[in-house]
Amino acid sequence: MFTPQGPSLRELTVQALSSVEHGYDLLASKFDATPFRTSDRLLIAVTGTLKTLGPFDSGLDVCCGAGAGLGVLRSVCAGRVTGVDFSTGMLTRARNAHPTADLVRADALALPFAPAFDLAVSFGAFGHFLPADQRTLFAQVHAALRPGGTFAFPLPAPPPVGSRLYWTLWGFDAAMRVRNAVWRPPFVMYYRTFRLADVRARLEAAGFEVSLTPVETLGRREDGSPHCRLVVARKK
């Protein structure tokens, strides 16, 4: 099996010193070989959980990137599936992988859709939205859904305080804040700005009713809590 070669350190550095849009254009051809791609394990687990919440007709992948989430929509939606992203390079990759999907280049903070979708999903994109922009993002998704439509996305449990992963994410966010303080254009990507309590409040403020569904196939932690929850926000 052919495995795409990942980007070099130089390529990742150039990307990190670009804008978010241009950075992903640069990375698009090798994105699937990076650790930033949503894992197949998570995609399969979310697909199984969504199937218990359907049926769904039309689906929208918000910030679809190279199209990993479009496969999830294909599995759970009976109708058309659409992906939206603002990176031309990533949309080209998505089009190669999903030639029958509708792909739209647009900013997720200004979605160009009428209320046309029964299900919206998003994978791995929320770190690109500062807390102040999350309200706008959720309002835009709400406006794109039909009454009773669902916005669903996985939210892994936070790492234990003091763990290696905890300090890795803390260090990454700190480095990004320094980078954005001294370099323009900014590259917005943070791992610790999407906390469940805040997200739930912002979804409810946008007009959603919010519930949490454990993604059971990903297992549970020692304290019995799930490793990952599916946030299920239904439009009132």
Side-chain angles (χ1 to χ4, degrees):
M1 177 183 291
F2 171 74
T3 301
Q5 182 179 1
S8 66
L9 178 60
R10 178 184 179 279
E11 289 172 314
L12 288 173
T13 301
V14 171
Q15 183 221 14
L17 295 177
S18 305
S19 66
V20 178
E21 178 184 350
H22 185 52
Y24 275 102
D25 284 345
L26 293 172
L27 191 61
S29 64
K30 299 183 178 181
F31 181 78
D32 285 345
T34 72
F36 307 118
R37 181 190 184 275
T38 303
S39 70
D40 289 336
R41 181 169 180 258
L42 178 59
L43 294 169
I44 292 169
V46 169
T47 298
T49 305
L50 281 172
K51 285 181 177 179
T52 69
L53 303 176
F56 303 104
D57 185 17
S58 55
L60 174 66
D61 186 0
V62 181
C63 304
C64 67
L70 292 171
V72 174
L73 293 178
R74 284 274 183 228
S75 297
V76 301
C77 293
R80 298 288 296 177
V81 300
T82 300
V84 61
D85 202 280
F86 71 170
S87 166
T88 301
M90 295 294 271
L91 286 172
T92 298
R93 298 289 294 178
R95 184 169 291 108
N96 291 337
H98 301 277
T100 62
D102 296 325
L103 296 173
V104 178
R105 184 178 181 274
D107 188 337
L109 298 178
L111 293 175
F113 304 117
F117 300 99
D118 298 294
L119 173 66
V121 298
S122 192
F123 294 90
F126 296 123
H128 295 304
F129 299 91
L130 295 172
D133 291 328
Q134 291 169 14
R135 298 179 187 275
T136 301
L137 173 66
F138 295 157
Q140 289 292 300
V141 176
H142 186 275
L145 290 169
R146 294 172 177 149
T150 299
F151 180 31
F153 52 86
L155 191 62
V161 175
S163 66
R164 178 180 297 180
L165 180 57
Y166 173 89
W167 288 116
T168 298
L169 297 182
W170 190 94
F172 181 92
D173 283 6
M176 290 302 296
R177 292 187 186 282
V178 171
R179 178 256 186 244
N180 289 333
V182 302
W183 191 269
R184 292 291 184 273
F187 190 96
V188 177
M189 181 62 218
Y190 299 107
Y191 284 101
R192 301 174 67 249
T193 59
F194 204 72
R195 298 179 177 89
L196 177 57
D198 297 332
V199 168
R200 184 167 195 156
R202 290 166 188 151
L203 285 166
E204 290 173 345
F208 288 103
E209 293 180 344
V210 182
S211 63
L212 304 174
T213 299
V215 183
E216 293 290 4
T217 55
L218 294 181
R220 290 182 174 264
R221 305 201 292 182
E222 290 184 359
D223 63 3
S225 62
H227 280 296
C228 183
R229 293 178 173 90
L230 192 69
V231 178
V232 181
R234 296 193 185 276
K235 182 173 179 175
K236 299 177 182 178

